[in-house]
Amino acid sequence: MNMHTATLQERFGLPVDPFAPGTLTDFFFVGGQRRFLAQRVVHALYFSSGIVLLSGARGVGKSRLLDEVLLDLRELTDNCRIEANVMMDGAEIRRAIAAKLGLIATVAQDNATLITAFAQWQPAGREPQPIALILDDAHLLAVPVLVECLVLARSAGGRLRLLLAGEPDLITACEQAGADAVERIELPPLDARETADYVLTRLQAAGSREPAPFSDSQLRELYRHSAGNFAAIHEWLPTLLAPGATPTSSRSFSTLVATLKNLPPRHVGVVVALLCIVVVLLLRSGANHEAPPTPANTASVAASSAELSERRSVPLVLPQTIAPAPAPVAAARVPEPQAVSPVSAAPTAAAPQKIVQPPAQPSVKSEAAPRVVTALPTPVPAPQSAPHSTPIQAKAVAEAAARDLSADERELLGWSADQFILQVLSAESASAVARFIGSTVDGTKLHSYRAQLKGRSRYIVVVGPYADRNSAIAAIATLPPTLRDQKPWPRALKSVQADIRALDAGR
């Protein structure tokens, strides 16, 4: 137990840390639509379609919601909950169902035999009820396995109800499996107000009686780091909200003051002088940008605005590519030379101010043609991507320019978002990732990237890409043993690209 956790318990006089793993296992937060969504799952599973898809990001409380659903179903169905894994197939799921119901293992050889066993199964001392098959972490299942589960549920004549719960990748997999007519329910993260309510109600469930133990600034800091994710709330709360903890800005200022105190006086003087120079430069910059209007610069702005408005009225076409416009059109669209303010005649790319003025009293016919060609500004073409670059590659180049991306991150952003990868490793340090990649000597190409997960930096190692989810799962068997031992699992490449793009979010 760390110092923050021990102090947190002492402050509130609690017998246990309410945010530690394994504590308050019976606590269910009814806010954030959790109570409503649990009832909706039960209704859809028992009274409606009989096939339900529950999706949500990792850490938003899917497994805890399933616990509540099972409690509500205990008088309505015979429940069979299975924790899925990436290597599970249809036969293993059928064997698990048979074991849960106390059936002999031979009935699990195929769907038809198992459905026949359902019809003959008679629970002791009561009438048979519908069987609720609940698959948690179903996003780890291959698409053919999901197809078998869907066929089993649809062929059981209402005797079997199916609930698939998993991360958002499950939606794509179910679409590939043909799960069109299913009830889809999404479990969102908490918002800022719900996050504060969750912290308070969980403390109260552990025995705390303080009405408002944390300040608004502390709760805002917690929400900024956790984004309403239960797992991230539990991870960040002891650090950010423990007694003595201060907001990030206060800690930064305190750290700066402490650093200055530890410096020699001579160095402190240098630092203070540099800070003064920076402040002076910033003030001068602000003065330049916010100078009060004067008659001179007012006239300049008005003239520049008039010139800009006139230029926007001219079609953006290179003069040499079209025939000169007729004289009346040119006279109407091009301003008279004497109407242009000398202040606005600043050098530009087209340099119109260098044109020799026509004679004092030229005829309209003689001066129209020259002005059509010379007065039109040469348009500057907008920057464009390479002629053969795809939109994905152009976006990757723009992102790379905005932030210093590694070569692997650039390559991952350049792949098609419809593809899949296998996540092999997640570590807290770049050195651990480098050692792991260096130990792979069989020539398998691995990519790594940095992401912000649960408020902290993580270094992810992936292998791929693969055309679809099935190809990614099938590729696990072809990986070397050192990679298979890491239990790789398939992920949509679009989620990886989202992790890379969101690295600096919230800073």
Side-chain angles (χ1 to χ4, degrees):
M1 183 181 299
N2 59 39
M3 181 181 63
H4 288 300
T5 302
T7 308
L8 188 63
Q9 290 181 226
E10 293 172 0
R11 173 183 173 183
F12 296 109
L14 304 178
V16 295
D17 175 15
F19 302 98
T23 59
L24 300 182
T25 55
D26 294 334
F27 174 79
F28 179 67
F29 181 58
V30 297
Q33 306 183 51
R34 264 51 184 180
R35 178 70 263 175
F36 166 75
L37 291 176
Q39 293 173 343
R40 183 180 167 190
V41 171
V42 171
H43 186 277
L45 200 64
Y46 188 78
F47 297 102
S48 185
S49 65
I51 302 178
V52 181
L53 171 59
L54 176 66
S55 64
R58 184 185 306 179
V60 296
K62 296 184 297 296
S63 296
R64 183 63 189 90
L65 188 74
L66 292 182
D67 294 338
E68 199 68 15
V69 168
L70 286 170
L71 288 175
D72 292 342
L73 288 173
R74 64 186 182 276
E75 302 296 334
L76 302 174
T77 60
D78 291 306
N79 300 321
C80 177
R81 181 174 181 173
I82 299 174
E83 303 294 330
N85 61 71
V86 72
M87 301 304 293
M88 184 173 283
D89 57 11
E92 186 175 350
I93 292 176
R94 290 192 297 269
R95 288 193 296 269
I97 297 173
K100 292 279 188 180
L101 300 179
L103 302 174
I104 59 175
T106 55
V107 303
Q109 59 184 345
D110 54 44
N111 282 353
T113 307
L114 186 58
I115 292 173
T116 302
F118 289 161
Q120 299 173 353
W121 178 60
Q122 180 70 37
R126 60 179 176 86
E127 291 295 321
Q129 296 175 326
I131 301 168
L133 173 59
I134 300 175
L135 290 172
D136 199 2
D137 288 334
H139 62 279
L140 299 177
L141 297 175
V143 172
V145 181
L146 291 173
V147 171
E148 285 194 63
C149 294
L150 293 168
V151 171
L152 177 63
R154 290 166 176 163
S155 304
R159 189 66 190 279
L160 181 68
R161 314 298 170 88
L162 179 62
L163 171 57
L164 301 171
E167 296 180 17
D169 288 348
L170 178 61
I171 298 176
T172 303
C174 285
E175 290 175 351
Q176 296 176 2
D180 301 340
V182 301
E183 185 83 11
R184 295 188 181 185
I185 299 175
E186 181 181 359
L187 191 61
L190 305 178
D191 61 23
R193 182 68 264 168
E194 292 164 350
T195 299
D197 292 341
Y198 172 73
V199 171
L200 179 60
T201 54
R202 193 169 181 96
L203 282 170
Q204 291 173 345
S208 174
R209 294 297 175 262
E210 292 195 31
F214 302 118
S215 66
D216 291 341
S217 61
Q218 288 175 316
L219 293 172
R220 283 194 299 269
E221 188 77 1
L222 175 64
Y223 181 71
R224 187 177 74 85
H225 285 282
S226 66
N229 183 289
F230 286 117
I233 291 172
H234 285 227
E235 181 178 0
W236 279 98
L237 186 68
T239 302
L240 293 177
L241 303 184
T246 56
T248 304
S249 57
S250 300
R251 291 198 303 268
S252 301
F253 181 77
S254 301
T255 302
L256 176 61
V257 172
T259 303
L260 290 176
K261 287 182 178 180
N262 294 330
L263 288 176
R266 182 178 56 185
H267 294 175
V268 173
V270 173
V271 172
V272 172
L274 290 175
L275 289 175
C276 292
I277 293 173
V278 171
V279 171
V280 171
L281 291 177
L282 289 176
L283 291 176
R284 288 184 177 179
S285 175
N288 292 336
H289 285 292
E290 300 179 4
T294 62
N297 60 32
T298 302
S300 176
V301 170
S304 299
S305 301
E307 183 183 7
L308 178 61
S309 175
E310 186 63 33
R311 289 186 179 184
R312 286 178 176 174
S313 68
V314 180
L316 293 178
V317 183
L318 290 175
Q320 60 269 26
T321 61
I322 60 173
V329 176
R333 299 179 66 87
V334 180
E336 291 296 332
Q338 61 271 22
V340 179
S341 171
V343 180
S344 64
T348 62
Q353 73 282 0
K354 295 183 180 180
I355 301 171
V356 178
Q357 299 293 338
Q361 295 181 346
S363 65
V364 174
K365 182 175 181 181
S366 63
E367 71 171 343
R371 274 195 284 158
V372 170
V373 178
T374 59
L376 282 172
T378 303
V380 180
Q384 298 180 356
S385 57
H388 301 290
S389 65
T390 65
I392 293 178
Q393 293 170 336
K395 188 173 183 179
V397 171
E399 291 170 340
R403 185 166 62 85
D404 186 16
L405 298 175
S406 68
D408 284 358
E409 290 171 334
R410 294 171 189 264
E411 191 168 355
L412 289 169
L413 287 175
W415 291 344
S416 171
D418 296 331
Q419 296 176 306
F420 279 74
I421 53 88
L422 290 172
Q423 179 168 319
V424 179
L425 181 71
S426 175
E428 294 184 353
S429 66
S431 58
V433 166
R435 286 195 302 270
F436 177 81
I437 295 178
S439 65
T440 306
V441 295
D442 56 10
T444 303
K445 175 61 176 176
L446 300 175
H447 292 78
S448 65
Y449 70 93
R450 190 162 69 96
Q452 197 83 358
L453 301 178
K454 298 181 181 179
R456 295 188 177 182
S457 292
R458 301 287 295 183
Y459 296 86
I460 314 297
V461 179
V462 300
V463 61
Y466 306 98
D468 51 38
R469 183 186 179 86
N470 290 343
S471 302
I473 294 176
I476 295 176
T478 66
L479 295 177
T482 55
L483 298 183
R484 289 201 305 270
D485 291 344
Q486 299 296 323
K487 306 296 183 184
W489 55 285
R491 288 184 61 188
L493 187 59
K494 61 184 178 183
S495 68
V496 173
Q497 294 171 342
D499 286 346
I500 298 174
R501 297 186 182 106
L503 176 63
D504 296 325
R507 294 185 178 179

